[in-house]
Amino acid sequence: MSTDSPVNSPVKSESTVGARVRNFLIAMVAIALSVALVLGLRTETSSASLAKLAEQSTPLEVAMTNGKPSLVEFYADWCTVCQKMAPDITQLEQQYTDKMNFVMLNVDNTKWLPEMLKYRVDGIPHFVFLNQNGEVLAQAIGDQPRTIMASNLEALIEDSPLPYAQASGQVSKVSTSLAPAPSQDDPRSHGSQVVN
C-alpha cells in the first residue's frame, strides 16, 4: 500500500486548514460588526433621547412669560415617531436655543391634560408654534422633516407667517380617555339587558 493514499494526502489537510482559517476570519468579522452595531446604536440613542430633551426643555410657565417664541411638543416615551424625531429636534434646539423656547409636555402626565384639551391633542408628536406673546400661530402633527421644522422655526423667530402651517405626518394615537365610561344604569339601555 502506498503512503500517498487519499486519507493522508497533503491536499486534504491544506483544504481543512484553509477552511478553518476562513471560518475563523468570518467569525471575527461577525463579532467586529456586532460590536460596532451595538456601540453605534448605544451612541445614537444616548445622544438624542426624549428624556434628555424633556430635561433640557424650558418649563411651560417660563416660556409663556419670557417674551420669546416657543415650540411646544406633546410627546410620550413610548411614541416611536417621537423617538424617531428626537435627533432632529435635538439639532434644532441646539441651533435655535438662544432665540426661542423648546417646551416638552409628556401626554402620559395628567398635569398637562388642560393643555392637551386646549390644543386638541389627539395624536403625537403634536407641535404647537407660539409667538412671543404665547398666541398659537400654527400646529403640526406627526412626523415632520427637519427642513420643514427648521423653516417654520425661522419664520417663528422672524415673526412672519409659517410656510408649513397645519402640517400632518405619521402619528401615534393618544389613548387618554377624556369622557367618563358609559354606565350600565343608563335608562336608554334597558333593552340591551334582555336576554332571550
Side-chain angles (χ1 to χ4, degrees), residues 52-71:
K52 192 174 184 179
L53 278 169
E55 182 181 305
Q56 296 172 348
S57 77
T58 305
L60 182 62
E61 303 78 29
V62 172
M64 297 303 259
T65 60
N66 69 3
K68 289 182 180 180
S70 301
L71 173 66

Side-chain angles (χ1 to χ4, degrees), residues 64-132:
M64 297 303 259
T65 60
N66 69 3
K68 289 182 180 180
S70 301
L71 173 66
V72 178
E73 178 181 353
F74 290 90
Y75 77 99
D77 294 327
W78 49 263
C79 170
T80 56
V81 179
C82 303
Q83 294 166 1
K84 176 185 170 203
M85 288 190 66
D88 288 341
I89 299 298
T90 299
Q91 289 177 352
L92 292 168
E93 183 176 2
Q94 290 170 351
Q95 186 175 352
Y96 298 110
T97 194
D98 57 334
K99 300 174 185 171
M100 63 177 295
N101 303 307
F102 286 83
V103 180
M104 300 285 291
L105 303 179
N106 190 330
V107 298
D108 290 334
N109 186 343
T110 56
K111 172 183 179 180
W112 305 119
L113 188 57
E115 285 76 14
M116 290 174 61
L117 292 170
K118 178 180 180 179
Y119 300 117
R120 298 180 180 189
V121 176
D122 62 355
I124 53 177
H126 185 109
F127 301 96
V128 181
F129 298 87
L130 304 172
N131 68 10
Q132 61 272 14

